[in-house]
């Protein structure tokens, strides 16, 4: 409240006291006149108070607008300093004093490896990009940590172990406490090298950052997917459940998984496993996978459990069997993430100077640990074929069924798959897995043509 309003309020209070005194003295006419003056003072106060409120709101709005503009400007400065530092490193020059100050502020408390700390706004965008629909990171528990090593205490079967009776002033009985596990994490360095041309680093800051964000997000997602799948296989090793049909899946959810886990369970599988489930029917002939009423593009197993499909390249089949992972991955696995992202740049590394390239080394730090191994179960559905399915995905390599393999069909397979296919067909290949895929494809086609000429096809 400003000075003018405070003075006016004092006058209003004084006028109220005057009206009361006049009424007490039975001077009613004078009291009525004073009451009119009070009404005018109150009206004046209300008008000025409304005006001050509007001015305050406008001031707050302008302050917030300035704050947003300052934030945007700071983000621009950070990205500009970051890109300028990349360009300076490529040219083996010193960064400007202004950019150096911004970079120092950004790197405060960052990773001990050094390098350029990626701006927070860019890290946020990378995180959004890497958490796309096929990112398994979305399904596990992720905990941000600030130290490279640490531990968490987890109680086993906490929901099934009641509190004990404890008498007043008595000690709590140690022997009856439930089982606790110590989950230790040890942050590991993850990283890779991106080769870029001199022309890219001569581009605009926006284009450079767009290219970097896209590459880093893909690599970060692939890294996390690989770590999660490796951990799932480690948890389930030797405990895989053969899935031949409807009843085997029912056993997993009804008996093998704890009821509390089953309530929050999902199904994670690859393209082959999804195809197997999508064609599976119950005893009444109804498909066991049904559309999710909340998301038409998604499906539910038994109308209850969301099914997440990832690529066969991400989650590979195992000896012709498609993995069908059932359970609550958030309960089973935790990723401990330092949430640091730094880069180093050089144009003098092996082969970079000769090829007019710059190498960008990107590093981050994280670890993955098992928390509750009983929270997931892996089923294995037999989808492979005896012959003509070298990658064991349940789909014939000879896609058009004409009895021969075209270059386009072979290009869909890996070198190892093509060599397996050649062995099935009795071809004596001159190329091996150590040769390029193009050479292996050409060799296969030559062997196939020779078989044609000999009347074997």
């Amino acid at each position: 409240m400003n000075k003018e309003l405070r003075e006016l309020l004092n006058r209003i209070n004084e006028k109220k006291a005057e009206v009361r005194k006049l009424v007490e003295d039975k001077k009613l006419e004078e009291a009525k006149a004073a009451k009119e003056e009070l009404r005018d003072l109150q009206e004046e106060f209300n008008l000025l108070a409304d005006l001050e409120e509007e001015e305050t709101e406008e001031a707050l709005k302008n302050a917030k607008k300035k704050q947003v503009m300052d934030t945007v400007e700071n983000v621009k400065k950070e990205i500009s300093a970051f890109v300028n530092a990349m360009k300076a490193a490529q040219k083996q020059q010193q960064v400007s004093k202004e950019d150096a100050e911004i970079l120092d502020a950004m790197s405060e408390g960052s990773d001990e490896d050094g390098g350029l700390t990626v701006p927070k706004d860019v890290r946020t965008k990378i995180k959004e990009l890497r958490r796309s629909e096929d990112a398994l990171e979305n399904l596990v528990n992720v905990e941000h940590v600030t130290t490279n090593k640490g531990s968490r205490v987890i109680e086993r079967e906490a929901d099934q172990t009641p509190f004990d009776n404890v008498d007043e002033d008595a000690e709590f009985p140690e022997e009856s406490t439930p089982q606790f596990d110590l989950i230790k994490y040890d942050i590991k360095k993850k990283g890779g090298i991106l080769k870029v041309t001199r022309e890219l680093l001569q581009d605009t800051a926006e284009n450079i950052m767009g290219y970097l964000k896209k590459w880093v997000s893909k690599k970060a997602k692939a890294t996390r997917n690989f770590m999660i799948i490796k951990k799932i296989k480690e948890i389930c090793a030797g405990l895989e459940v053969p899935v031949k049909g409807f009843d085997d899946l029912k056993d997993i959810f009804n008996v093998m998984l704890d009821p509390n886990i089953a309530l929050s369970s999902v199904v994670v599988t690859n393209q082959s496993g999804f195809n197997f489930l999508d064609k599976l029917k119950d005893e009444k002939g109804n498909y066991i996978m049904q559309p999710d009423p909340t998301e038409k593009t998604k499906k539910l197993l038994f109308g209850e459990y969301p099914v997440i499909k990832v690529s066969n390249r991400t989650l590979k089949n195992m000896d012709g069997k498609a993995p069908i992972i059932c359970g609550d991955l958030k309960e089973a696995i935790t990723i401990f993430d330092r949430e640091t992202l730094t880069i180093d740049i050089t144009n003098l590394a092996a082969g970079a100077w000769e090829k007019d390239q710059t190498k960008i080394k990107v590093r981050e730090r994280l670890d993955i640990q098992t928390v509750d191994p009983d929270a997931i179960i892996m089923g294995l559905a037999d989808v492979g074929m005896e012959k003509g399915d070298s990658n064991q995905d349940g789909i014939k390599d000879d896609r058009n069924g004409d009895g021969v393999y075209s270059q386009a069909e072979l290009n869909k397979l890996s070198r190892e798959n093509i060599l397996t296919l050649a062995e099935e067909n009795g071809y004596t290949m001159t190329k091996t897995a150590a040769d390029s895929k193009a050479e292996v494809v050409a060799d296969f086609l030559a062997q196939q043509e020779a078989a044609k000429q000999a009347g074997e096809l």
Side-chain angles (χ1 to χ4, degrees):
M1 187 181 296
N2 60 33
K3 182 180 179 182
E4 184 181 5
L5 281 174
R6 282 197 299 272
E7 290 176 352
L8 193 54
L9 185 60
N10 289 334
R11 289 172 60 193
I12 289 171
N13 289 331
E14 288 171 0
K15 186 60 68 174
K16 285 180 179 178
E18 182 186 341
V19 171
R20 289 194 184 94
K21 185 68 173 61
L22 289 170
V23 170
E24 288 173 4
D25 293 343
K26 305 300 181 182
K27 298 177 179 179
L28 299 183
E29 289 301 322
E30 293 179 36
K32 288 179 182 178
K35 180 70 182 297
E36 287 298 322
E37 292 176 16
L38 175 62
R39 191 176 290 113
D40 290 341
L41 287 172
Q42 188 66 58
E43 185 68 23
E44 183 180 351
F45 179 87
N46 292 341
L47 290 170
L48 290 175
D50 288 344
L51 187 61
E52 184 186 39
E53 186 177 344
E54 289 174 4
E55 289 172 349
T56 302
E57 287 179 1
E58 186 66 25
L60 286 172
K61 194 181 295 182
N62 290 336
K64 287 180 180 179
K65 186 176 180 180
K66 185 178 183 303
Q67 187 178 15
V68 169
M69 290 176 68
D70 288 346
T71 302
V72 171
E73 191 61 32
N74 287 337
V75 168
K76 286 181 179 178
K77 285 180 179 179
E78 287 183 352
I79 292 175
S80 177
F82 181 76
V83 173
N84 289 343
M86 290 173 63
K87 292 181 177 182
Q90 190 264 338
K91 295 175 182 177
Q92 299 177 52
Q93 298 175 347
Q94 292 290 326
V95 296
S96 69
K97 183 180 178 181
E98 182 184 356
D99 286 340
E101 289 175 355
I102 294 172
L103 293 169
D104 287 343
M106 283 164 49
S107 62
E108 192 173 318
S110 65
D111 194 71
E112 59 270 24
D113 287 322
L116 292 173
T117 300
V118 177
K120 183 179 179 181
D121 184 70
V122 176
R123 295 201 306 271
T124 301
K125 292 289 192 302
I126 288 171
K127 186 187 291 188
E128 290 171 359
L129 287 171
R130 80 166 188 249
R131 289 181 172 175
S132 55
E133 194 168 314
D134 61 342
L136 298 178
E137 178 187 10
N138 299 328
L139 304 176
V140 303
N141 182 46
V142 180
E143 184 175 339
H144 170 52
V145 294
T146 56
T147 57
N148 283 341
K149 290 186 178 182
S151 60
R152 298 290 183 270
V153 177
I154 306 295
E155 182 183 343
R156 294 287 175 213
E157 300 179 352
D159 57 342
Q160 297 168 19
T161 308
F163 280 130
D164 217 345
N165 291 326
V166 182
D167 294 333
E168 291 298 329
D169 300 325
E171 292 185 4
F172 280 70
E174 286 282 344
E175 66 277 2
S176 65
T177 56
Q179 181 64 45
F180 290 94
D181 284 349
L182 191 66
I183 307 298
K184 295 182 179 180
Y185 67 85
D186 186 358
I187 299 296
K188 308 294 191 305
K189 188 192 303 181
K190 305 287 183 180
I193 293 176
L194 170 64
K195 299 175 184 177
V196 298
T197 60
R198 182 188 297 272
E199 290 77 19
L200 175 66
L201 290 179
Q202 292 172 344
D203 208 334
T204 64
E206 183 180 357
N207 288 345
I208 292 171
M209 293 313 302
Y211 188 88
L212 188 63
K213 282 186 288 190
K214 188 175 180 181
W215 183 80
V216 173
S217 63
K218 282 184 177 181
K219 297 297 285 187
K221 180 176 71 174
T223 299
R224 285 161 174 76
N225 281 351
F226 175 81
M227 291 171 66
I228 292 166
I229 290 169
K230 183 180 179 183
K231 184 58 68 176
I232 289 171
K233 290 180 177 178
E234 180 185 303
I235 293 170
C236 299
L239 299 170
E240 298 89 349
V241 177
V243 175
K244 296 180 180 178
F246 173 83
D247 289 341
D248 298 319
L249 291 165
K250 279 291 186 184
D251 287 342
I252 290 175
F253 286 99
N254 290 346
V255 181
M256 297 181 188
L257 287 172
D258 185 274
N260 286 333
I261 295 293
L263 283 173
S264 55
S265 286
V266 299
V267 177
V268 181
T269 188
N270 61 9
Q271 292 163 278
S272 300
F274 187 90
N275 190 44
F276 172 85
L277 293 174
D278 205 27
K279 295 190 290 187
L280 206 58
K281 297 178 181 179
D282 62 18
E283 68 277 1
K284 296 180 180 178
N286 299 317
Y287 287 108
I288 66 170
M289 286 237 286
Q290 299 157 20
D292 185 341
T294 62
E295 293 185 75
K296 297 298 181 183
T297 58
K298 303 290 182 65
K299 289 202 172 182
L300 300 173
L301 181 65
F302 305 130
E304 294 182 58
Y305 309 108
V307 181
I308 291 88
K309 176 175 65 173
V310 297
S311 165
N312 276 2
R313 290 178 294 178
T314 299
L315 181 57
K316 294 181 173 60
N317 288 333
M318 302 161 63
D319 298 322
K321 294 178 173 59
I324 301 173
I325 302 150
C326 310
D328 188 339
L329 287 166
K330 286 189 182 295
E331 292 290 332
I333 295 169
T334 291
I335 288 178
F336 296 94
D337 194 344
R338 276 292 302 270
E339 292 194 342
T340 58
L341 188 61
T342 58
I343 71 167
D344 285 316
I345 306 163
T346 181
N347 61 356
L348 299 176
W353 184 80
E354 293 87 346
K355 296 177 181 178
D356 204 19
Q357 290 179 336
T358 296
K359 292 189 176 182
I360 300 177
K361 182 166 62 180
V362 181
R363 67 172 76 84
E364 59 176 346
R365 287 179 173 272
L366 61 158
D367 189 26
I368 186 169
Q369 291 297 330
T370 303
V371 176
D372 183 358
D374 296 328
I376 54 171
I377 291 173
M378 182 188 287
L380 291 177
D382 195 344
V383 296
M385 302 175 185
E386 287 187 11
K387 284 189 175 183
D389 179 18
S390 61
N391 58 5
Q392 295 286 287
D393 63 354
I395 304 296
K396 284 184 176 291
D397 299 325
D398 178 16
R399 295 195 178 190
N400 61 12
D402 64 357
V404 295
Y405 297 94
S406 66
Q407 182 170 341
E409 288 171 330
L410 294 173
N411 285 339
K412 295 290 183 183
L413 306 174
S414 67
R415 281 174 295 187
E416 291 75 13
N417 295 153
I418 297 168
L419 291 168
T420 300
L421 192 59
E423 186 179 351
E424 288 179 0
N425 283 273
Y427 298 158
T428 305
M429 298 284 284
T430 62
K431 302 299 179 182
T432 69
D435 297 302
S436 70
K437 182 176 175 180
E439 290 174 316
V440 173
V441 169
D443 190 12
F444 184 98
L445 292 172
Q447 299 292 338
Q448 183 175 250
E449 184 60 30
K452 276 185 188 178
Q453 297 298 326
E456 297 173 3
L457 280 179

